[in-house]
Amino acid sequence: MKKIFLLAILGLSLFSCKKDTTTENTNNSENEVATETLEQKSSNENDSKTLDLTKIPISTFPITQIPFFSLPTGYKYSHEEKRNYESIRFWTGSSFEMPEGELFCGRISNDKDHSYSGLELFKNLDQIFKEAGAVALFEGKVPQEAITQNEEKYPISDYGIKSNAYGFQGFAKTWTYIIRQDNQNIWLQLNESDDNASLHVAIIKTKAVAITSQLIKADEMKLSLEQNGLVTLYINFETNKSDIQPEAKPTLEEVFKLLKENPSLKLSIEGHTDNSGDKKYNFELSEARAKSIVAYLTQKGISSERLQSKGYGDTKPLQENTSEDNKALNRRVELRKIG
């Protein structure tokens, strides 16, 4: 009887231990699920977080040109780049913003009679930015994963600005600011250099693009071919790509109409670029763009025997490549009558 009693107690004890263990495991499992849910929620919140410009105070500091400040004593620009209209990326701490407008970027280094101090240079620029009403958005190193993901979607243009506007590509320390104004925003980005002897600065003064191109009709193209032997078109392509953009299709439809209404007409489609970037690359890009137009027309039913494509890169400029306006004139497609 005593044995039975002892066994009963032992059984109850084991059952009790098992029950407690099961309860503990269940609680742990619930806690783990709760933790994962919170982490996932936090991750989702970070992923969807975007910059709310309306929460940034408006600055009334007058900014009509960039850069809007002078460099501290003992420092100079060792390289400068200006664009009338461009877009580059700025890291806000949670995502990349890609404002469009007037661009200035450059490398700041010291004069020969002044020793370089990154701290001195940064403190000067930080002070002047904040006096103009700038709000600091980020300080640190941009996550490599974020850079890679953004690069896959928006490849960096290698038009002479990569080394001066994208210092964070090399995992350099980055500072991002914004000056919000009624009619424009000023984006500012600083990057440390790996030589500890210079600082990169990039500035975008936002503005709307000026649409100055006009649609040339098929009959106007025909007249130009008869009088001049060629037609000059300004067709938009994505930077560094040959893909035809939707806004270019109305013009290409007029080229198709021209060929359709004049079945004996044969055309040479010729691509041209400005002198930014590598000459070999410009040649290949201009040729690829010309081939894209030929492909578009042949897919519409125009015989390939009536078309040929050529790329000239920057070898036949209409204007000297001394300004952004002149460069825009040189980035063109020409239709040249064959025979």
Side-chain angles (χ1 to χ4, degrees):
M1 184 69 180
K2 187 182 286 187
K3 287 183 178 180
I4 294 173
F5 180 71
L6 290 171
L7 287 171
I9 292 174
L10 180 61
L12 287 170
S13 299
L14 290 171
F15 177 76
S16 176
C17 291
K18 185 176 181 181
K19 183 178 179 181
D20 291 345
T21 303
T22 303
T23 302
E24 184 180 350
N25 289 340
T26 302
N27 289 338
N28 287 342
S29 178
E30 289 175 351
N31 288 337
E32 287 174 3
V33 170
T35 301
E36 289 174 0
T37 303
L38 287 171
E39 289 176 350
Q40 184 63 43
K41 182 179 179 183
S42 175
S43 176
N44 290 339
E45 287 175 352
N46 288 336
D47 289 344
S48 62
K49 185 179 179 182
T50 56
L51 179 66
D52 186 356
L53 289 176
T54 62
K55 293 182 179 180
I56 295 175
I58 292 178
S59 166
T60 58
F61 185 85
I63 299 177
T64 57
Q65 62 181 21
I66 55 174
F68 56 88
F69 52 88
S70 62
L71 294 181
T73 302
Y75 293 90
K76 63 180 180 180
Y77 289 108
S78 56
H79 178 84
E80 297 178 50
E81 180 77 17
K82 294 181 180 180
R83 297 290 175 88
N84 184 56
Y85 198 83
E86 190 59 86
S87 176
I88 64 171
R89 65 192 81 174
F90 293 81
W91 179 251
T92 66
S94 60
S95 63
F96 279 109
E97 294 287 331
M98 298 184 67
E100 299 178 356
E102 183 181 351
L103 167 72
F104 172 87
C105 58
R107 181 195 294 261
I108 306 171
S109 57
N110 58 299
D111 288 326
K112 62 180 180 179
D113 297 327
H114 188 93
S115 61
Y116 179 82
S117 169
L119 181 62
E120 176 187 37
L121 185 52
F122 167 75
K123 282 186 172 291
N124 271 269
L125 295 179
D126 179 72
Q127 178 66 30
I128 200 68
F129 291 173
K130 290 177 178 176
E131 285 181 7
V135 172
L137 300 177
F138 177 75
E139 176 182 345
K141 294 185 176 181
V142 182
Q144 283 291 317
E145 183 180 359
I147 295 173
T148 301
Q149 289 176 351
N150 192 259
E151 173 69 13
E152 290 173 353
K153 191 173 182 180
Y154 303 105
I156 288 177
S157 165
D158 193 16
Y159 276 14
I161 65 174
K162 181 175 180 179
S163 62
N164 295 292
Y166 292 108
F168 57 76
Q169 285 289 117
F171 208 43
K173 187 173 181 180
T174 297
W175 294 266
T176 308
Y177 304 79
I178 185 171
I179 301 173
R180 182 187 172 211
Q181 300 194 316
D182 279 330
N183 61 337
Q184 64 186 8
N185 295 318
I186 312 298
W187 290 80
L188 303 133
Q189 188 163 264
L190 301 175
N191 297 116
E192 286 185 335
S193 65
D194 55 6
D195 59 5
N196 196 31
S198 60
L199 186 73
H200 300 290
V201 59
I203 309 171
I204 285 276
K205 182 164 74 74
T206 61
K207 66 177 182 179
V209 64
I211 305 299
T212 57
S213 59
Q214 296 179 336
L215 181 63
I216 301 177
K217 298 291 187 179
D219 54 352
E220 294 174 312
M221 294 182 190
K222 182 180 179 182
L223 183 61
S224 181
L225 286 169
E226 290 173 349
Q227 293 180 346
N228 308 311
L230 63 85
V231 177
T232 301
L233 302 177
Y234 290 93
I235 297 175
N236 288 332
F237 292 91
E238 191 172 337
T239 301
N240 273 2
K241 292 187 178 181
S242 59
D243 300 334
I244 292 172
Q245 299 298 294
E247 57 267 28
K249 290 185 178 179
T251 296
L252 295 183
E253 285 299 311
E254 291 297 318
V255 178
F256 169 71
K257 182 180 177 182
L258 170 70
L259 289 162
K260 194 75 174 176
E261 293 178 350
N262 300 273
S264 62
L265 179 63
K266 296 182 179 180
L267 293 176
S268 173
I269 314 294
E270 302 173 357
H272 301 266
T273 70
D274 61 31
N275 69 340
S276 301
D278 179 74
K279 285 187 174 294
K280 181 183 177 184
Y281 180 78
N282 285 340
F283 173 80
E284 293 172 348
L285 180 63
S286 64
E287 189 170 39
R289 288 176 171 177
K291 286 181 178 179
S292 289
I293 295 173
V294 169
Y296 180 90
L297 294 170
T298 55
Q299 287 171 7
K300 296 280 293 182
I302 302 300
S303 172
S304 60
E305 295 180 356
R306 299 174 60 192
L307 302 168
Q308 67 182 34
S309 59
K310 291 182 180 180
Y312 290 98
D314 60 6
T315 61
K316 294 187 175 184
L318 294 179
Q319 302 287 337
E320 291 187 15
N321 290 286
T322 53
S323 69
E324 286 305 312
D325 289 340
N326 285 0
K327 287 183 178 183
L329 290 173
N330 292 332
R331 296 190 296 267
R332 68 196 190 278
V333 172
E334 290 182 347
L335 310 181
R336 194 173 296 274
K337 189 176 180 180
I338 300 174

